[in-house]
Amino acid sequence: MVTEKMYEKLAELAVRRGVNVQKGQPLIIRAAVRDAEFVRMVVRKAYEAGAKSVTVDWTDQELSRMNFDYQSIETLSDIPDWVYDRMKNQQDNGAAYLGIMSDKPGGLKDCDPKKLNAYQQAYHRKVADLQAYTMNNIGQWCLFGIPSVEWAKVVFPDLPDEEAFEKLGDAIFAVTRVTEDNDPVKDWQEHDEELIRHAGKLTEYQFKALHFTSGLGTDLTVELVKDHIWCGGGCFTPKGVYFDPNMPTEEVFCMPLKTGTNGIVHASKPLSYQGKVIEDFWFRFENGKVVDFDAKKEKETLKSLVEFDEGSCYLGEVALVPYDSPISRSGILFFDTLYDENAACHLALGNPYPENLRGGTEMSEEELLAHGANKSMTHEDFMFGTKDMSIDGITEDGKAVPVFRNGNFVF
Ligand code: ZN
Ligand code: ZN
């Protein structure tokens, strides 16, 4: 059972280790109105840690749904200037961003996908030059979740509300490494060190490509950009502030060469996208591009992801997660990427992380493209790791080095 004390520890962990708000730094929190009580706790912790100001951007999924239902596509696509100006002002003041999520997965699934797409594209276009702030880790940011009945009912549809909520709560706190009697900050330190060790080893190898096979039928070669850097654990801002952007995190990840992926990949878990749940799907890649795909459920939604923009049919991320990770072992499908992506090896369609390329965060868009990076306004992870997954690293001279056997690291 999740106790009050554990919520306090989570709030403290998010503020001190997750976003690691600094003395005199503004903090922007995005959270749902249903979580007001917990959010107040986080705000208090942030002030105690020395935050200069804490601003909460309240969200409500029901209101979002009404906006999508009642507003025209033109209205939704017309993002006012103040949205840009406000974010610009926050960034100019060196703000940190903390996101607390608890919304019902698939809560927008009955909304018109054309409207959702139009809004997202318009929004990303409007704030395009401000996205580097979090994408390149210029300022700290952190995303984590807390349970809600709405979310729990999706994960455990057959349980009564109370029981479902408790079970989801137990799972979330366990995988976020917060228990009644542990020191979560210390546990996170040790966990990050292990991720950093794996990432360091892979970076040292500088594999030309990774070759993935699984019993689901995956047979995929993903070429990596030259001078790539495997990342995992926390990140540093240019000012040297350490933070953990995702809580939980179990992955080490890298940048695929845009035109270097070939073969077929079968997803091992459903993908929740734009409020819909896509199931049993696969992609076939040729020279980096998705040339064919299918899904047993929500193929149209998958199509709108692949065709989102010019870069959404190419990969932007390849990530390795051991089958023995706590989220994987929990056996729970959270229907949210933050958790589910940490249950299994995954790939992302869309934009890459410049930090995965040596000097990447200082490169212009043209330089990144010249190094073989993809570019897109979206970044969507999907899981393909399995219990029997094998991965070989392919060296420049064509030798195969075992990286994963039976779903786990060999080193
Ligand atoms: Zn990832
Ligand atoms: Zn990702």
Side-chain angles (χ1 to χ4, degrees):
M1 232 217 10
V2 180
T3 60
E4 185 72 9
K5 183 176 157 196
M6 286 163 71
Y7 274 102
E8 281 233 35
K9 285 168 90 165
L10 178 62
E12 179 98 14
L13 176 72
V15 165
R16 303 263 177 185
R17 174 88 193 178
V19 76
N20 192 8
V21 70
Q22 300 291 292
K23 284 203 172 41
Q25 186 177 30
L27 178 67
I28 317 296
I29 298 177
R30 189 178 171 84
V33 288
R34 77 167 74 78
D35 302 323
E37 201 184 327
F38 176 68
V39 173
R40 286 186 205 109
M41 196 186 271
V42 177
V43 171
R44 184 178 303 283
K45 296 278 182 201
Y47 279 126
E48 284 170 7
K52 176 184 175 182
S53 61
V54 183
T55 308
V56 181
D57 285 344
W58 295 106
T59 64
D60 183 69
Q61 203 175 34
E62 288 296 308
L63 293 185
S64 301
R65 204 166 65 184
M66 281 188 239
N67 290 340
F68 282 116
D69 283 348
Y70 288 103
Q71 289 183 19
S72 69
I73 214 161
E74 290 73 30
T75 306
L76 286 164
S77 311
D78 182 20
I79 312 292
D81 290 343
W82 66 259
V83 170
Y84 179 93
D85 296 341
R86 184 171 182 271
M87 199 186 288
K88 175 91 168 65
N89 180 268
Q90 292 169 346
Q91 296 186 1
D92 288 346
N93 287 303
Y97 291 88
L98 185 61
I100 305 171
M101 40 153 285
S102 65
D103 276 346
K104 175 184 174 179
L108 302 177
K109 72 165 182 275
D110 297 326
C111 300
D112 182 350
K114 282 200 201 75
K115 285 187 175 180
L116 290 167
N117 253 345
Y119 167 75
Q120 281 196 1
Q121 292 215 12
Y123 181 82
H124 286 298
R125 251 197 313 273
K126 187 84 189 181
V127 300
D129 63 307
L130 299 180
Q131 289 185 319
Y133 190 78
T134 47
M135 205 70 188
N136 294 359
N137 300 324
I138 293 163
Q140 315 98 279
W141 58 279
C142 172
L143 186 64
F144 73 104
I146 59 167
S148 69
V149 174
E150 293 88 334
W151 182 2
K153 291 293 281 177
V154 175
V155 179
F156 306 108
D158 301 328
L159 295 182
D161 288 10
E162 187 78 354
E163 216 177 302
F165 176 78
E166 265 189 28
K167 232 178 142 172
L168 179 64
D170 287 343
I172 288 177
F173 277 75
V175 302
T176 317
R177 294 182 156 76
V178 177
T179 66
E180 182 73 16
D181 44 22
N182 76 333
D183 177 351
V185 173
K186 184 169 155 276
D187 282 6
W188 267 87
Q189 239 158 30
E190 288 170 8
H191 172 54
D192 277 359
E193 278 163 19
E194 177 74 358
L195 293 172
I196 290 163
R197 189 178 71 78
H198 281 142
K201 192 127 192 190
L202 286 163
T203 301
E204 215 172 282
Y205 271 120
Q206 284 295 309
F207 290 125
K208 181 177 165 60
L210 295 178
H211 179 222
F212 299 87
T213 50
S214 87
L216 286 177
T218 293
D219 186 350
L220 188 77
T221 303
V222 178
E223 211 174 317
L224 303 170
V225 291
K226 276 210 169 58
D227 289 325
H228 56 257
I229 300 172
W230 283 86
C231 300
C235 308
F236 285 98
T237 67
K239 286 181 182 158
V241 181
Y242 189 87
F243 66 104
D244 267 303
N246 287 334
M247 295 188 135
T249 182
E250 303 288 339
E251 61 171 341
V252 294
F253 59 99
C254 200
M255 191 192 292
L257 178 70
K258 180 178 178 181
T259 53
T261 300
N262 286 285
I264 187 161
V265 58
H266 288 262
S268 55
K269 285 177 190 288
L271 167 64
S272 179
Y273 177 67
Q274 288 191 342
K276 318 246 170 131
V277 179
I278 308 164
E279 288 181 45
D280 285 321
F281 58 101
W282 56 262
F283 298 106
R284 183 182 295 285
F285 288 86
E286 265 175 40
N287 300 323
K289 191 176 179 182
V290 175
V291 291
D292 197 10
F293 60 91
D294 200 6
K296 289 228 173 84
K297 262 192 199 161
E298 293 290 348
K299 185 174 179 184
E300 275 306 299
T301 309
L302 190 61
K303 188 166 182 276
S304 75
L305 163 60
V306 172
E307 293 174 359
F308 184 81
D309 63 15
E310 269 174 50
S312 59
C313 53
Y314 291 90
L315 293 182
E317 180 194 357
V318 53
L320 309 188
V321 179
Y323 189 76
D324 284 345
S325 80
I327 297 171
S328 164
R329 258 181 286 135
S330 80
I332 294 170
L333 186 67
F334 290 83
F335 294 95
D336 187 277
T337 303
L338 174 63
Y339 295 85
D340 295 329
E341 78 156 356
N342 281 299
C345 292
H346 56 271
L347 298 166
L349 290 170
N351 216 41
Y353 293 101
E355 62 185 297
N356 283 131
L357 184 60
R358 199 164 301 285
T361 53
E362 277 97 53
M363 285 182 193
S364 66
E365 216 165 75
E366 290 69 33
E367 287 175 294
L368 284 168
L369 294 178
H371 280 82
N374 188 21
K375 176 181 157 25
S376 169
M377 285 191 294
T378 191
H379 175 104
E380 207 50 49
D381 296 292
F382 65 92
M383 271 54 71
F384 73 112
T386 56
K387 195 180 173 154
D388 67 353
M389 172 141 274
S390 269
I391 308 172
D392 282 336
I394 312 296
T395 61
E396 284 291 341
D397 51 5
K399 278 206 284 287
V401 178
V403 176
F404 261 47
R405 288 295 179 265
N406 298 317
N408 289 302
F409 276 103
V410 296
F411 46 74

